[in-house]
């Protein structure tokens, strides 16, 4: 079974592309979704509290992920510390996911930070979803209602999309009107061969 990473800058439409692969019968591990579930685990929350203090928690004891995001995207040391909590868990869960789907020709590992943390070295192939920055910012402002300054802080913490595209084995240009389904079908066929 091959492991295929899928990455791209924030707001490029990775989820839409992953959904197209899934529609074609490919199993996808979405790292952000898996990591989000950790915030329901009391042991994980205790580590988050130790790292960030009480200011990132609500009165009901739940973590406020938007407060955490504001902290880590403004402080690279805090971001690295949070990643040190999350990444080993994610990779252990991905290993279990791979064992569960070992009879498949390949599985996807979707992560915006695939290259930033060396996860690409664990993949057989990498697909980059690309969209230029102004269009990504416009999509994110419309979708999330976040101001451009906050979005640019998040973008600054990721590898430039053009560098991801240069390193990838395959690239999907995810512009409106571009034949996304055809691009996914072609890449799916090449990976399966």
């Amino acid at each position: 079974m091959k492991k295929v990473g899928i990455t791209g800058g924030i707001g490029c439409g990775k989820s839409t592309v992953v959904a197209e692969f899934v529609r074609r019968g490919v199993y996808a591990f979405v790292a952000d979704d898996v990591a989000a579930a950790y915030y329901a685990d009391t042991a994980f929350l205790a580590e988050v509290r130790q790292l960030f203090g009480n200011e990132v928690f609500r009165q009901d004891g739940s973590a406020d992920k938007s407060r955490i995001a504001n902290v880590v995207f403004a402080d690279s040391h805090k971001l690295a510390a949070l990643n040190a909590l999350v990444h080993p868990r994610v990779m252990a869960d991905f290993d279990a996911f791979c064992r569960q789907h070992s009879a498949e020709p390949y599985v996807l590992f979707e992560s915006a930070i695939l290259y930033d943390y060396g996860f690409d070295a664990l993949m057989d192939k990498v697909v980059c979803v690309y969209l230029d920055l102004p269009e990504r910012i416009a999509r994110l402002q419309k979708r999330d209602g976040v101001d451009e300054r906050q979005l640019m802080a998040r973008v600054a913490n990721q590898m430039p999309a053009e560098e991801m595209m240069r390193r990838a084995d395959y690239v999907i240009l995810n512009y409106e009107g571009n034949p996304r389904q055809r691009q996914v079908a072609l890449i799916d066929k090449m990976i399966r061969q």
Side-chain angles (χ1 to χ4, degrees):
M1 181 199 66
K2 294 178 190 170
K3 297 173 186 174
V4 177
I6 187 160
T7 194
I10 184 172
C12 69
K14 290 181 299 297
S15 298
T16 306
V17 171
V18 167
E20 186 60 34
F21 276 99
V22 169
R23 195 182 69 71
R24 301 184 64 78
V26 180
Y27 289 92
F29 181 95
V30 179
D32 281 351
D33 291 351
V34 171
Y38 300 153
Y39 289 88
D41 175 46
T42 54
F44 180 79
L45 288 177
E47 292 182 71
V48 170
R49 189 178 303 275
Q50 190 173 20
L51 182 62
F52 295 103
N54 292 326
E55 62 270 11
V56 298
F57 285 85
R58 297 183 188 94
Q59 286 187 336
D60 67 2
S62 64
D64 184 331
K65 288 188 257 181
S66 64
R67 287 185 199 161
I68 293 171
N70 289 338
V71 170
V72 299
F73 289 119
D75 183 336
S76 61
H77 297 294
K78 292 282 189 186
L79 177 61
L82 180 62
N83 287 335
L85 288 179
V86 173
H87 294 170
R89 286 174 168 89
V90 168
M91 294 317 294
D93 287 341
F94 180 60
D95 286 343
F97 177 85
C98 290
R99 286 191 301 275
Q100 181 182 357
H101 299 292
S102 61
E104 299 299 320
Y106 72 98
V107 295
L108 290 179
F109 177 86
E110 187 270 318
S111 173
I113 56 173
L114 188 83
Y115 289 116
D116 305 72
Y117 293 94
F119 300 146
D120 59 307
L122 306 172
M123 303 297 137
D124 297 295
K125 297 287 182 186
V126 174
V127 177
C128 175
V129 181
Y130 180 81
L131 187 64
D132 64 13
L133 185 58
E135 193 160 342
R136 288 167 37 213
I137 295 297
R139 279 185 182 183
L140 289 165
Q141 286 178 313
K142 184 177 179 181
R143 183 188 80 188
D144 299 342
V146 179
D147 74 31
E148 186 172 347
R149 184 181 53 77
Q150 289 174 309
L151 292 172
M152 292 308 291
R154 293 178 185 184
V155 167
N157 279 302
Q158 291 184 341
M159 176 182 287
E162 291 75 14
E163 177 64 13
M164 291 184 210
M165 187 169 60
R166 187 187 67 73
R167 290 185 181 193
D169 299 291
Y170 308 105
V171 175
I172 292 177
L173 301 176
N174 202 25
Y175 294 96
E176 289 304 317
N178 212 20
R180 182 184 310 118
Q181 289 178 333
R182 239 183 9 225
Q183 293 178 77
V184 169
L186 178 63
I187 292 169
D188 177 60
K189 182 179 178 182
M190 289 189 288
I191 292 171
R192 288 176 187 272
Q193 289 178 344

